[in-house]
Amino acid sequence: MSTAILTGQPVPGSSIEGDLRSLGYDVRAASDTADAETLLAQVPGDQRVAVVDAGFVGHVHALRLGLTDPRFPLAAIPGAVTAQPAGRQALTRAIARENASGGGTAVAVDSLADRVVTALAANGAEVHRPELGSLVAAVPADPQARNEARQAVAAVDDEAVRLKSAVKSRDGFFTTYCISPYSRYIARWCARRGLTPNQVTTASLITAFIAAACAATGTRGGFIAAGVLLIASFVLDCTDGQLARYSLQYSTLGAWLDATFDRAKEYAYYAGLALGAARGGDDVWALALGAMVLQTCRHVVDFSFNEANAGDSDATANTSPTAALSDKLDSVGWTVWVRRMIVLPIGERWAMIAVLTAVTTPRITFYALLIGCAFAATYTTAGRVLRSLTRKAKRTDRAAQALADLADSGPLAESLARLLQKLPAKPPFGSRTLVALPGAVILVAGAWLEPYGSWLPVLGAVLYALTSAAAVALPLKGSLDWLVPPFFRAAEYGTVLILAAKADVNGALPAAFGLVAAVAYHHYDTVYRIRGNAGASPAWLVRAIGGHEGRTLLVTVLAVALSAAQFKVALTALAVAVALVVLVESIRFWVSSGAPAVHDEGEPA
C-alpha cells in the first residue's frame, strides 16, 4: 500500500481523497509542515509515499501519471510530489528543510508539495515531470480560479487522453492504421479485468507457438491458420505495450519478456515454416536460418549504432548533412510513412509473412523475407554509415564500453587483446572496423569456397580470432566502430550456416538453427541488460560459452574432426549446452533483478 499525505486546508466537495484511494493510496492528513514530516517518518521505507495539496484540482489520469509510474524514484506534477524507496531520502531531506525554514507553521498559504519540488531541485535531485498535454493539474489560489480549473477538467475527457497515450507516438504504418485503432480497447479491457502486461505477453507467445505448430503441419489449412494466428499474436504483442502504458505497469522483467519473446515468436515461426515445407518435400532450412541470421544482424546494427551514439555529447553533436536531410524528409508527411515501411519493421514484416504463408509456399515466403530484409538492412546501414562519417561528435567511454560488451569477446580474444594493446592508434589500426572486417570476410569466404572437412576454415577461424582480438584491443571510439559487433555476429552465424549446409546431411541445418538461436538469445539478452542499465552479461557466462571467436573456432574444428553425421550431433549438443547455460542465468537475473523499472519502445511495431 502506498501512502499519500494531504497538506493544506481541505476544500469542501473536493474529490482528491477518493481519487488518491482509487490509485491505491492510503490517505493521511497533515495539519502543517511539521505534521507532514512526522507522518512521512511513520511510513515504512519500502513503500511509495506522496505529498499532495488538499486543494489540488485536476484529472485522475494526471495524478496517475505523476504518482504511480514505477520508472522514476522522484516524480511531480503541480500540487503533488511522490517518492519511491530509492528517492525517499531526498524527499525526507526536502520536507525537513521546508519544516526548518517555515518553523512548522500551517501550510495553507501555498502548496507544500510545490515547495518540496523546488527544494529537491535545489538539492540536485532529479524529479521526473510527466508531459500532461491537455490534462489539468493545478492548485487554484482562490474560488474563481478553482471554478475555472474545474471547468477545464470537465472540458477534457481524460479517458480518451489515456487511451490515446497508450499507443506509441512513433509506430509503423500497418500498426498505426490496422492494429492500434482497436488494440487499445483490448488493452483497456485487459486493464479493467486485472490482467497484467506480462500475462498478455505470454498469451502472445503461446499464440505464436500455436501458429508455428500449424505451419509445421505442411497443409494449406495449416498455413492459413498459421497466418491468421500470427496476426493475432501481433495484436496481442501491441496490446501488452499499450496495456503497460495505459495502466503504467512498467517493469524490468516486462521489458525483457516483451523484447525476447518477440524474437522467440518470430524465429519459432521460421522453424515451423521450415518443418512444414519439409513435410511437403521442400528443404528450406537454409533459407530459414539465413532469415534468422539476417534479421539478427539487422538488430545488432540497430543496437550498436544506438549505443555508440548514447550520451549527451553524441546526442547533441550530430549535425551531419545526412542527419539534416533525414530531418527534412521527416517534415514531409508521406515520406515519413514510406521511410518507416521500407525498413520493414515488425508490423509490416509479420503482416507480409502471414499473408504469404496463407497464400503461397514457405520457400516463396522466405525469399520475400530475405529480399525485403536485405534491402531494409542496406538502406538503414548505409544511412548510418553516412551519418557516422560526417558527424562531429566523439564517442563517450560509456558508449565504447557498451560496444565492447556487445562484441561478446571470449577468453581467447581477451588474452590476445592484452598482447595487442600496444598497436598504434593510427590507421589502419586506429579504425577498429578495418581491423575486424578482413578476418570476418576471410573466415566466411573460406567456409563458403572449401568443401566440408577442409582445414582452410580452421585457419580462417584462427585469423578471425586474431583480428577480432586486435579490433577490441583499443576502445571502440572510431566513427564506424559500431559496425564491429555486427561484423562479429555475421561472421559467427554465417560460418555455422555455411558449414551446416556443406555437411549436406539430414538434420545438420536444423541443429545449426538451434545453435544460432541459442547464441542469438544470449546476444539479445546482453542488449537488454545494457538498455536497462543493468550492466552486460557476467564475464563468467561469456567465458563459459566461449565468446564469439571461441565458438566459431570450435565449430570449424568440429567440421574437420567429425563426419557429417557426427557434426550434426555435435552441433545439437552444443546448441543444447549453450541454451541451458544462457537461459538459466538469464532467467535468474531478470526474475531477481534489482534493475530499475523500464519500458523500452524497442523496434517500431
Side-chain angles (χ1 to χ4, degrees), residues 154-490:
V156 176
D157 184 352
D158 71 337
E159 179 60 22
V161 173
R162 188 182 179 189
L163 269 175
K164 183 178 180 180
S165 62
V167 179
K168 283 182 183 179
S169 58
R170 182 183 185 277
D171 225 330
F173 180 88
F174 177 75
T175 307
T176 299
Y177 291 103
C178 299
I179 304 296
S180 292
Y182 59 87
S183 62
R184 69 184 73 181
Y185 295 101
I186 300 176
R188 182 172 66 180
W189 183 90
C190 292
R192 291 178 174 176
R193 283 152 184 81
L195 297 177
T196 67
N198 291 352
Q199 290 172 331
V200 177
T201 301
T202 303
S204 175
L205 178 70
I206 294 172
T207 304
F209 282 174
I210 296 173
C214 290
T217 63
T219 63
R220 178 51 51 194
F223 288 147
I224 293 174
V228 172
L229 287 171
L230 186 64
I231 293 297
S233 175
F234 181 65
V235 171
L236 291 174
D237 182 58
C238 294
T239 300
D240 64 3
Q242 291 166 357
L243 175 58
R245 287 181 286 271
Y246 182 84
S247 56
L248 300 184
Q249 297 184 71
Y250 301 124
S251 69
T252 300
L253 177 62
W256 169 72
L257 288 177
D258 186 48
T260 55
F261 280 11
D262 277 353
R263 307 288 78 79
K265 288 180 287 190
E266 185 167 2
Y267 300 155
Y269 192 83
Y270 293 175
L273 280 177
L275 287 170
R279 286 180 178 273
D282 189 11
D283 186 356
V284 297
W285 274 106
L287 297 177
L289 180 50
M292 181 168 66
V293 169
L294 179 56
Q295 189 58 35
T296 303
C297 289
R298 277 189 65 196
H299 285 143
V300 176
V301 168
D302 294 340
F303 300 145
S304 296
F305 181 79
N306 290 336
E307 290 302 327
N309 290 281
D312 292 341
S313 62
D314 288 37
T316 58
N318 193 351
T319 56
S320 69
T322 308
L325 176 61
S326 178
D327 293 340
K328 185 175 181 180
L329 288 174
D330 279 344
S331 66
V332 183
W334 66 271
T335 64
V336 174
W337 292 117
V338 171
R339 296 178 71 206
R340 290 185 189 180
M341 292 174 67
I342 62 176
V343 298
L344 209 63
I346 188 171
E348 276 74 3
R349 192 167 67 249
W350 283 25
M352 180 186 75
I353 293 172
V355 171
L356 291 178
T357 298
V359 302
T360 64
T361 65
R363 180 172 289 275
I364 293 175
T365 301
F366 281 124
Y367 280 151
L369 181 62
L370 286 167
I371 293 170
C373 287
F375 176 81
T378 302
Y379 171 78
T380 55
T381 304
R384 288 167 176 170
V385 167
L386 288 174
R387 286 191 182 209
S388 299
L389 290 175
T390 56
R391 68 196 306 272
K392 298 178 181 180
K394 296 181 179 179
R395 298 281 181 258
T396 63
D397 291 337
R398 187 263 185 201
Q401 183 57 53
L403 292 178
D405 292 333
L406 290 174
D408 193 37
S409 300
L412 178 57
E414 287 181 344
S415 300
L416 291 171
R418 283 192 289 269
L419 299 175
L420 298 171
Q421 285 179 345
K422 294 184 179 180
L423 285 173
K426 298 179 180 179
F429 297 108
S431 174
R432 309 289 94 191
T433 304
L434 295 180
V435 174
L437 182 58
V441 171
I442 291 173
L443 168 66
V444 174
W448 178 270
L449 297 174
E450 289 295 301
Y452 177 82
S454 170
W455 275 96
L456 189 59
V458 176
L459 297 177
V462 172
L463 176 63
Y464 172 70
L466 182 62
T467 57
S468 62
V472 297
L474 296 177
L476 298 173
K477 291 188 174 183
S479 59
L480 293 178
D481 285 356
W482 55 270
L483 284 170
V484 169
F487 285 164
F488 290 166
R489 298 296 84 76

Side-chain angles (χ1 to χ4, degrees), residues 452-455 458 554-564 566-567 570:
Y452 177 82
S454 170
W455 275 96
V458 176
L554 175 60
V555 170
T556 59
V557 170
L558 290 174
V560 171
L562 302 176
S563 67
Q566 293 171 331
F567 182 63

Side-chain angles (χ1 to χ4, degrees), residues 285-286 289 292-293 492-501 507-519 555 567-568 570-572 575:
W285 274 106
L289 180 50
M292 181 168 66
V293 169
E492 179 185 1
Y493 299 163
T495 300
V496 174
L497 165 61
I498 293 169
L499 290 178
L509 280 167
F513 189 97
L515 175 58
V516 171
V519 175
V555 170
F567 182 63
K568 174 191 70 175
L571 285 181
T572 303

Side-chain angles (χ1 to χ4, degrees), residues 66-90:
L67 303 183
T68 67
D69 196 319
R71 296 174 293 176
F72 309 103
L74 293 165
I77 57 174
V81 60
T82 184
Q84 295 198 77
R88 181 68 173 275
Q89 187 176 21

